[in-house]
Amino acid sequence: MSRERDTVLGAAIVYVGASLAAGTAAFAGAGLAHTRFFAAATGDGVEELGPVFVESTLVQIGVSALVVAPVLAVLVGLVIGRGVLDPSKAIVIGATMGLCGTLFFGAVVAILGSAGTPVGSLRTQSFLVALAVTAGASTVVGGLGSAVGARTG
């Protein structure tokens, strides 16, 4: 029982750490984009083009987070599968961790990325829809990763 608890706790810590690291990178990237494309730009078109460049950078940050989340779910699922003794319990825990971890990961990236610049935001309906789809995929691959980990571990 202690091994299972430690495995789940370790997986949660990995998600929190990865989320904070990605959120910090999103904050720094958004701030850099704002400085490079908006605040430091000169000319008459800065009011029109600066926010467009910042928005495109925020979209790139959001897409990067959405790509990383399922990969993280698979890796964490493999570890959970090896650490939890009951395979069916490992699949449920891996799938749940994939879902909750991805939602947390996306929320941290969206909040900190949007806080990095006064122009633009990752907290949009389209990002939330993409995050929901990614969370569904992460649920599946987290469960699959746990199944493989339980089978081989």
Side-chain angles (χ1 to χ4, degrees):
M1 184 64 158
S2 176
R3 177 180 173 185
E4 292 177 0
R5 184 189 70 229
D6 291 345
T7 300
V8 173
L9 182 62
I13 290 170
V14 166
Y15 264 112
V16 169
S19 297
L20 292 175
T24 302
F27 179 83
L32 176 65
H34 181 263
T35 301
R36 296 281 300 165
F37 296 127
F38 191 70
T42 59
D44 294 334
V46 68
E47 292 81 19
E48 299 166 10
L49 293 179
V52 172
F53 288 127
V54 172
E55 280 289 334
S56 68
T57 302
L58 287 173
V59 168
Q60 292 170 354
I61 290 169
V63 168
S64 298
L66 295 176
V67 169
V68 168
V71 173
L72 187 60
V74 167
L75 296 175
V76 169
L78 287 169
V79 171
I80 289 173
R82 292 186 61 97
V84 177
L85 301 176
D86 181 16
S88 59
K89 187 189 281 188
I91 292 169
V92 170
I93 292 171
T96 303
M97 191 67 72
L99 173 67
C100 296
T102 297
L103 291 175
F104 182 73
F105 188 82
V108 170
V109 168
I111 291 168
L112 291 179
S114 298
T117 177
V119 178
S121 176
L122 274 172
R123 294 174 289 196
T124 61
Q125 183 177 1
S126 59
F127 180 76
L128 293 177
V129 169
L131 180 59
V133 171
T134 302
S138 294
T139 302
V140 172
V141 297
L144 288 174
S146 292
V148 170
R151 179 94 172 139
T152 60

